Every structure is written in C-alpha cells, then in structure tokens.
Amino acid sequence: MSAESEARSAALASLDRLIAVMPPATVEEAMQALRCVVALRDLLVAERRAKGASAAVDARLACINAVLSLTWSGAVPVSGFRRERLEQARAALQGSEAMA
C-alpha cells in the first residue's frame, strides 16, 4: 500500500468516527481527523514539489484541499458537529481514490 493510500485510509477512518452517531465523537477525535487530512494534503504537496506539476496530482490536491475545508467547517462549529459536511468530506475523500 502506498503512503498516499495509507494516509487516505487513516483520514477515512477518522471521518467515519466523527460521522458515527454513537458514541458521540470528542473534540480530540475531530482534531485527529483534521490532522489526518492535513497529513494527506502535505504528502500530495511534497509529491508535487518533488515531481513537478501534473494534472493527476493537481486534481487530487484540489480535492483534498476541499475535503480539508469541509472537515474543518464540519468538525469545528460553534456547537456540535455538522454531520452533513463531514459526510460530504468523506464522500469526496473516498472519491479521490479513483484519481490516484
């Protein structure tokens, strides 16, 4: 399994935990989900810097940046998690597998 696949799997698992209704997710679990998505984004940025721009990497990077934004807005609201945004983030992240 590639580093990108491992990072994507970790991010998906952490988003699954936030989306789960019971038991309710904690703030620390929300921060862990953000760290996982950031790690995946950083891996793609490093790949782009090392290999140069490519349509495939740029598309995955754009998708992961959107996932990061959705995860942040879904996991760090004023009160409670925004499950619909977390579900959108998870769906986009899972869809990015096809781009890899």
Side-chain angles (χ1 to χ4, degrees), residues 44-55:
L44 289 170
V45 167
E47 180 180 340
R48 189 177 193 278
R49 287 179 180 158
K51 297 179 181 176
S54 77

Side-chain angles (χ1 to χ4, degrees), residues 61-78:
L61 188 54
C63 180
I64 298 310
N65 281 329
V67 167
L68 181 57
S69 179
L70 282 167
T71 302
W72 177 258
S73 68
V76 191
V78 175

Side-chain angles (χ1 to χ4, degrees), residues 15 18-19 70-75 81-91:
L15 284 170
L18 290 184
I19 292 167
L70 282 167
T71 302
W72 177 258
S73 68
F81 296 117
R82 294 184 180 142
R83 187 171 184 197
E84 68 283 347
R85 289 189 184 180
L86 295 169
E87 289 171 344
Q88 287 176 325
R90 191 198 185 289

Side-chain angles (χ1 to χ4, degrees), residues 1 3 15 27 33 36 41 50-51 54-56 74-76 80 82 84 88 93-95 97 99:
M1 182 180 273
L15 284 170
V27 172
C36 286
R41 191 265 327 261
K51 297 179 181 176
S54 77
V76 191
R82 294 184 180 142
E84 68 283 347
Q88 287 176 325
L93 183 58
Q94 189 168 25
E97 285 181 285
M99 297 178 197

